[in-house]
Amino acid sequence: MISHSEVLARAEAASDALPLLTIDEFFVGNIDEESLAPNQWGYDRPPLAEIEQRLRALAAEPGVDWVRVQLHDDTHEVDEIAAESIAICTDRESDDIEELLDSEYLQADGVIEGYAISDSGDEPVVPASSRVLSPVWD
């Protein structure tokens, strides 16, 4: 998992825009179950390890260009890394993504068009035939 200081350094280099993290940067070694969808943890949201597995499987699907973790603005103010949502670059329909992830099982509130955050740094290229979708948790 990337360190909090590394995230802040990348944000500073991008005019304070928090970076989009890779699956490895966010999940590998992350044991803070409340770092993603904290309001659903303890209320049937599966463990981070299972969410990580689903995102890795999704990233390997045809039509999925990349998957990144969108960070919560609180990451600037606290000593922890907190996720707001996931960004999925794909040419697939949002219903397909919801089904592949099993959004209901993940306790997600659905998939929206675009990013769930307003300003992110180091966004990967989105191919002309694709767009960004974001599963969100309230």
Side-chain angles (χ1 to χ4, degrees):
M1 180 175 178
I2 192 171
S3 72
H4 187 259
S5 60
E6 289 173 304
V7 166
L8 294 182
R10 283 174 54 187
E12 186 176 327
S15 302
D16 285 333
L18 290 166
L20 295 175
L21 301 183
T22 65
I23 294 171
D24 284 349
E25 288 173 326
F26 183 80
F27 286 99
V28 173
N30 185 354
I31 58 170
D32 182 2
E33 291 291 344
E34 293 186 348
S35 63
L36 174 66
N39 295 337
Q40 283 77 13
W41 178 242
Y43 297 96
D44 296 328
R45 192 213 77 201
L48 280 178
E50 189 167 337
I51 296 171
E52 175 187 0
Q53 289 173 352
R54 286 174 182 262
L55 292 174
R56 287 187 187 283
L58 179 67
E61 283 285 326
V64 175
D65 301 301
W66 49 259
V67 175
R68 297 290 190 275
V69 177
Q70 301 174 71
L71 297 180
H72 194 285
D73 284 337
D74 287 351
T75 300
H76 279 295
E77 300 163 14
V78 296
D79 290 333
E80 301 167 341
I81 297 172
E84 176 69 25
S85 182
I86 306 299
I88 302 160
C89 181
T90 184
D91 64 3
R92 297 182 74 154
E93 296 299 319
S94 58
D95 291 346
D96 291 341
I97 298 301
E98 283 190 44
E99 185 177 321
L100 287 166
L101 285 176
D102 193 351
S103 291
E104 187 174 324
Y105 175 67
L106 295 182
Q107 301 293 309
D109 295 318
V111 173
I112 64 168
E113 290 276 339
Y115 293 97
I117 58 176
S118 59
D119 190 21
S120 63
D122 64 8
E123 295 170 358
V125 173
V126 176
S129 62
S130 295
R131 68 194 183 293
V132 174
L133 299 174
S134 299
V136 293
W137 290 264
D138 187 20

